């Protein structure tokens, strides 16, 4: 009976040792998985931050482009007004020269 009891104790010790080894493997695997999850979360946060920065830069560029387009529109109108003013001045000069010529005659 002592032999039987001794075998049971050894068997239980073996099972306990296997359970401890399994628990250590599971714990180790859990720690690796947790570390990988933390790394993925940091990478995700970094990517999100970069996306937000790129979006802000894009929005700034759009605002600048809108400003440039507005400036070009205003410059075009100003140039058109100057051309009209020049044409009007030329017409006045021609009319004045014609009147002067008529008065000389």
């Amino acid at each position: 009976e002592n032999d039987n009891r001794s075998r049971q104790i050894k068997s239980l010790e073996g099972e306990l040792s296997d359970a401890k080894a399994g628990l250590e493997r599971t714990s180790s695997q859990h720690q690796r998985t947790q570390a990988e999850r933390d790394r993925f979360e940091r990478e995700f946060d970094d990517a999100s931050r970069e996306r937000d920065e790129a979006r802000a830069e894009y929005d700034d560029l759009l605002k600048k482009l809108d400003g440039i387009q507005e400036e070009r529109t205003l410059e075009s109108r100003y140039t058109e007004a100057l051309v009209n003013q020049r044409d009007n001045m030329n017409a006045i000069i021609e009319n004045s020269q014609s009147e002067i010529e008529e008065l000389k005659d």
Side-chain angles (χ1 to χ4, degrees), residues 21-39:
L23 180 59
E24 286 176 13
R25 281 192 305 274
T26 302
S27 293
S28 177
Q29 184 178 10
H30 175 72
Q31 288 173 348
R32 283 193 304 273
T33 302
Q34 185 65 36
E36 190 172 352
R37 177 178 167 230
D38 292 345
R39 182 177 59 84

Side-chain angles (χ1 to χ4, degrees), residues 72-90:
R72 285 190 176 171
T73 299
L74 292 174
E75 287 173 357
S76 175
R77 289 178 186 163
Y78 179 70
T79 301
E80 185 178 331
L82 286 176
V83 167
N84 286 339
Q85 186 178 12
R86 182 202 63 202
D87 291 346
N88 289 340
M89 293 298 284
N90 284 339

Side-chain angles (χ1 to χ4, degrees), residues 10-63:
K10 283 187 181 189
S11 176
L12 288 174
E13 285 175 347
E15 288 179 25
L16 180 59
S17 178
D18 290 346
K20 284 181 181 178
L23 180 59
E24 286 176 13
R25 281 192 305 274
T26 302
S27 293
S28 177
Q29 184 178 10
H30 175 72
Q31 288 173 348
R32 283 193 304 273
T33 302
Q34 185 65 36
E36 190 172 352
R37 177 178 167 230
D38 292 345
R39 182 177 59 84
F40 285 146
E41 286 178 353
R42 283 191 305 275
E43 289 177 3
F44 177 79
D45 290 344
D46 290 345
S48 295
R49 195 170 21 263
E50 289 175 7
R51 180 204 62 214
D52 293 345
E53 289 171 1
R55 184 174 289 143
E57 288 177 18
Y58 175 77
D59 290 343
D60 286 344
L61 287 174
L62 282 181
K63 287 177 186 175

